[in-house]
Amino acid sequence: MAHKLTKEEITAKFRVGEIDADEMMRLMADANRKPPRFAVAEKSGWLSIYFDGLRFPVSMPYECAVALFSDEQVAAALAYLEANKGRFKVKNS
């Protein structure tokens, strides 16, 4: 997984011309984003994953979470995302 740049690193890259203003703004928005929060839902007993900027959590039963977060499935998901990144709608921060 790639190193998440700090605000200071982003600013330094902008100052030396390694990134443009649009890229700087996108990276700054990512730097401000909180990591996901995990919880077990009291009612269902499912894993709930709360993402910064989403109104509702993503929830799934234990068995699905274990399968989804296996090394093979994470690699497959990342490969799919990379191969299809032009097809996703991106929310402007």
Side-chain angles (χ1 to χ4, degrees):
M1 182 172 253
H3 162 71
K4 188 172 181 179
L5 297 174
T6 65
K7 292 178 184 179
E8 293 77 21
E9 291 169 326
I10 296 165
T11 303
K13 285 183 173 287
F14 176 70
R15 284 188 181 139
V16 297
E18 290 182 22
I19 58 174
D20 63 16
D22 289 337
E23 180 71 0
M24 181 185 74
M25 295 303 291
R26 187 189 67 74
L27 290 171
M28 284 292 195
D30 287 346
N32 288 330
R33 182 158 280 152
K34 295 174 187 168
R37 183 176 60 84
F38 298 90
V40 177
E42 290 296 321
K43 235 179 191 179
S44 66
W46 287 15
L47 172 68
S48 293
I49 309 169
Y50 296 84
F51 293 93
D52 189 27
L54 290 184
R55 189 173 186 178
F56 300 105
V58 173
S59 298
M60 65 190 77
Y62 174 83
E63 296 80 9
C64 290
V66 169
L68 179 64
F69 292 116
S70 71
D71 290 341
E72 296 82 17
Q73 288 300 320
V74 168
L78 290 172
Y80 180 85
L81 290 169
E82 186 61 28
N84 293 282
K85 67 181 173 183
R87 298 176 58 199
F88 286 96
K89 293 181 181 177
V90 179
K91 185 171 116 177
N92 293 331
S93 299

